[in-house]
Amino acid sequence: MKDEISVRGGPGATFTISLLILCYVLSNIDRQIVSVLANDIKADFALSDSELGALQGFTFTAFYAVAGIPIARLIDGVSRVRLAAAFVGLWSVMTLLCGMAGNFLQLLLYRAGTACAEAGLPTASLSIFADLLERRRLAWVSALLMTAPYLGGGLALLAGGWLLDEARWLVASGGLSGTGLTAWKLVFLAVGLPGIGLGILMWFTLREPRRRQIATAEAVGEEVPRTSAVVGLLVQRKAFWLPFMLAVPFMVLTLFAQIAWMPAVLMREYHLSASAAGLLVGPLVLVLGVVGSLLSGLLIARQGDRAIVSYCVSLMARVACLAMPLSLLYFVPMSLPAAVIAYAAQIFLLAIFTATWPLTIQLLVPNRIRARAIAIVNLTGALIGQGMGPFVVGLINDRLWLGSRLQLSLGCTVSLSLGVAAIAAIMARKGVGDLDIAPPSR
C-alpha cells in the first residue's frame, strides 16, 4: 500500500518514532502542569485538598482510563498515525479551553476532554513501534518512549514555575485587565498552543506501518478479534496477568502521588516559592526519570531472546522492593536536602519500573489485540494509580491532619502502595511459567 512503511528502521521510521515521542512529552507537560498551578487554582476557586486531588487525579484519569478501551479497539483496526494526530490536536484544544474556564466545573470538564484525547497516544505509539522495529531496538525505543512522563513532568515543573511567576507579573502589571485571565489560566494557554502545530505535522507527514506479528507463540488472523478475546486471554493466564495488573497500578499510584504533591510539600512545609520548587524538583524528575527509563531499556536489550519476560518482571519486583524503604523516610522529620534525596531516589526506581511493564505486554500479546491489552492494563493503572494517588494524599491530609501534614500524608500513601506493588510483582514473576517463550530473532 502507498501509505505503509515496509522497511524496519530507516529515516522514515526514525522520524515517526521521534515525532511520537515528542508528542507524548507534550502530553505529559499538559497533564502535569496542574501540579505547579495547584495552589493558585485552589485559591481562585476556593477548593479543598480533596477537590484539588480529584482535579489532578481521579477526574482526569477516570476519563483517561474509560476512553482507552474503545480507542484501543480503533488502534487495533485502523490507521494509528491518523488517530494519533487527531488525539494531539484535540487535547491541545482542551488545554486551551482550561485556560478559559470560569469555574471549577468547567475546568473539570475540560480536563476530562484532555484525558480522553491523551488516552490514545501511548497505546498507538507502542503498537506502531512493535511493527517498525527489530526486537533489540524495540526494547530500547519503548524505554525511550517511557521517558516522556519524566521529560514532560520535569519540564512542566521546571518551566511551569517560571511561567507561573512571569504570568503573575504580567497580571499584576495590569496588562491583561478586563480579560478575566489569571496567571494560572495564562500558563494553560501557553502549554496548549504547541500541540496544534504538532498534530497538523503528524497528519500530513507520518505513514502507517504494515502490521506484522512479533514476539508471540500465537498467531492471529487479519480480522480484528473482539475485545472479549483479549479479556479471555488474560483470564486464561490469570496466574501471571492478575498480579501483573495489580503491581502496575500501585507503582503508578506511587509515581503520580509524588509528582502531584511534592511541589506542594516543598512550598508548604519547606517554604519555597513556586518557581524555586519547580527548579528543584523539575530537573530531578527530568534527569533521573530519563536515566532510569533508559537504563531499563539497556538492561533488557542485553538479555537477548532468552527468558526476557521473566527478566522484565523480576526487574519490576526488585525496584519495588528497593523503593519501599525510601518511602518510610517521609515519616520522620527531614531537612530539605534529605527530603529531596529520598524523592530523587524513588523517582529513579519508579522510572525503571514504568519503562519495563509496557515492553512485557508487547512481547507477550499478538498484534491485533496488543493495543487493547495495553489499554486494559492502563485502565487499572489510570483508575487506581493516576486517579487515586493524588486524591488519596489530599484526602488523608484533609481528614487526618486537617491540612497540616502533607509530607506525612504522602508517606502514608506511597509506603502502602509500594508494599502492595512489591508483593504483586513477586507473584507475577512466579506466574510467568510457559508464557516466557523466546520469540524467533528477526
Side-chain angles (χ1 to χ4, degrees):
M1 290 178 62
K2 183 179 178 181
D3 63 342
E4 289 182 341
I5 298 172
S6 58
V7 296
R8 303 171 195 167
T14 300
F15 179 75
T16 298
I17 291 164
S18 300
L19 193 52
L20 287 170
I21 292 174
L22 176 61
C23 288
Y24 194 31
V25 171
L26 180 63
S27 166
N28 281 276
I29 293 175
D30 288 359
R31 185 183 310 179
Q32 298 300 332
I33 197 69
V34 178
S35 64
V36 176
L37 309 178
N39 286 341
D40 284 46
I41 295 172
K42 177 180 179 177
D44 206 3
F45 290 144
L47 306 180
S48 68
D49 280 340
S50 299
E51 289 172 319
L52 196 58
L55 175 66
Q56 297 185 78
F58 189 76
T59 300
F60 185 94
T61 54
F63 283 90
Y64 183 95
V66 171
I69 302 296
I71 287 174
R73 173 62 178 81
L74 289 175
I75 291 169
D76 279 332
V78 302
S79 173
R80 293 162 288 185
V81 296
R82 288 295 177 92
L83 281 175
F87 297 148
V88 174
L90 180 57
W91 88 54
S92 299
V93 170
M94 289 293 111
T95 302
L96 290 174
L97 289 174
C98 288
M100 303 175 188
N103 55 56
F104 183 53
L105 178 59
Q106 288 180 4
L107 185 58
L108 282 177
L109 292 175
Y110 295 146
R111 290 297 288 171
T114 305
C116 291
E118 289 187 358
L121 183 65
T123 305
S125 299
L126 289 167
S127 180
I128 290 168
F129 292 171
D131 288 331
L132 279 179
L133 300 169
E134 300 286 351
R135 181 182 176 84
R136 287 185 180 274
R137 288 193 66 200
L138 176 61
W140 178 254
V141 172
S142 295
L144 190 60
L145 179 73
M146 299 314 293
T147 65
Y150 303 98
L151 281 168
L155 289 171
L157 293 169
L158 185 61
W162 175 80
L163 281 173
L164 183 59
D165 283 345
E166 292 298 310
R168 286 171 177 168
W169 175 85
L170 184 59
V171 170
S173 70
L176 297 173
S177 58
T179 65
L181 292 175
T182 59
W184 63 267
K185 291 182 179 182
L186 286 175
V187 175
F188 268 124
L189 295 176
V191 300
L193 283 172
I196 304 294
L198 284 175
I200 294 171
L201 179 64
M202 291 175 68
W203 185 273
F204 289 106
T205 60
L206 297 191
R207 295 180 296 162
E208 177 72 7
R210 180 179 295 118
R211 294 180 183 269
R212 295 177 286 109
Q213 284 305 117
I214 63 162
T216 180
E218 301 177 39
V220 293
E222 286 301 314
E223 295 298 322
V224 181
R226 295 178 180 273
T227 300
S228 59
V230 188
V231 177
L233 175 66
L234 303 184
V235 171
Q236 181 183 4
R237 298 166 170 183
K238 60 182 179 294
F240 168 74
W241 285 108
L242 288 182
F244 180 84
M245 292 174 64
L246 190 63
V248 171
F250 278 95
M251 287 296 279
V252 173
L253 189 156
T254 302
L255 175 63
F256 278 85
Q258 296 203 81
I259 289 179
W261 285 107
M262 195 61 184
V265 168
L266 295 178
M267 285 184 272
R268 293 189 199 179
E269 302 197 13
Y270 295 91
H271 312 295
L272 299 185
S273 66
S275 58
L279 287 170
L280 184 59
V281 175
L284 293 176
V285 173
L286 195 156
V287 174
L288 295 175
V290 170
V291 171
S293 297
L294 295 181
L295 178 61
S296 166
L298 178 62
L299 292 173
I300 294 168
R302 292 179 63 185
Q303 298 305 304
D305 288 338
R306 185 176 180 180
I308 190 169
V309 175
S310 295
Y311 180 80
C312 288
V313 183
S314 295
L315 183 60
M316 292 162 59
R318 288 192 207 108
V319 297
C321 291
L322 287 172
M324 186 178 176
L326 293 171
S327 66
L328 301 179
L329 294 176
Y330 290 131
F331 290 95
V332 299
M334 288 189 289
S335 64
L336 177 60
V340 171
I341 290 171
Y343 175 74
Q346 289 209 52
I347 290 295
F348 174 72
L349 293 170
L350 290 166
I352 296 174
F353 187 102
T354 54
T356 302
W357 75 260
L359 180 63
T360 307
I361 299 178
Q362 287 176 294
L363 296 171
L364 286 177
V365 179
N367 184 297
R368 286 292 190 176
I369 63 174
R370 183 189 304 128
R372 279 168 289 171
I374 293 172
I376 289 171
V377 178
N378 263 332
L379 178 66
T380 61
L383 290 177
I384 298 175
Q386 297 177 43
M388 297 305 296
F391 175 72
V392 168
V393 175
L395 183 65
I396 290 174
N397 202 44
D398 280 343
R399 296 292 184 267
L400 294 185
W401 321 118
L402 301 177
S404 64
R405 301 293 300 277
L406 188 55
Q407 180 173 297
L408 189 56
S409 301
L410 184 60
C412 291
T413 303
V414 300
S415 59
L416 291 174
S417 178
L418 284 169
V420 174
I423 294 170
I426 292 169
M427 293 174 62
R429 172 63 184 87
K430 292 179 179 178
V432 170
D434 60 0
L435 297 183
D436 198 5
I437 300 173
S441 300
R442 295 191 295 149

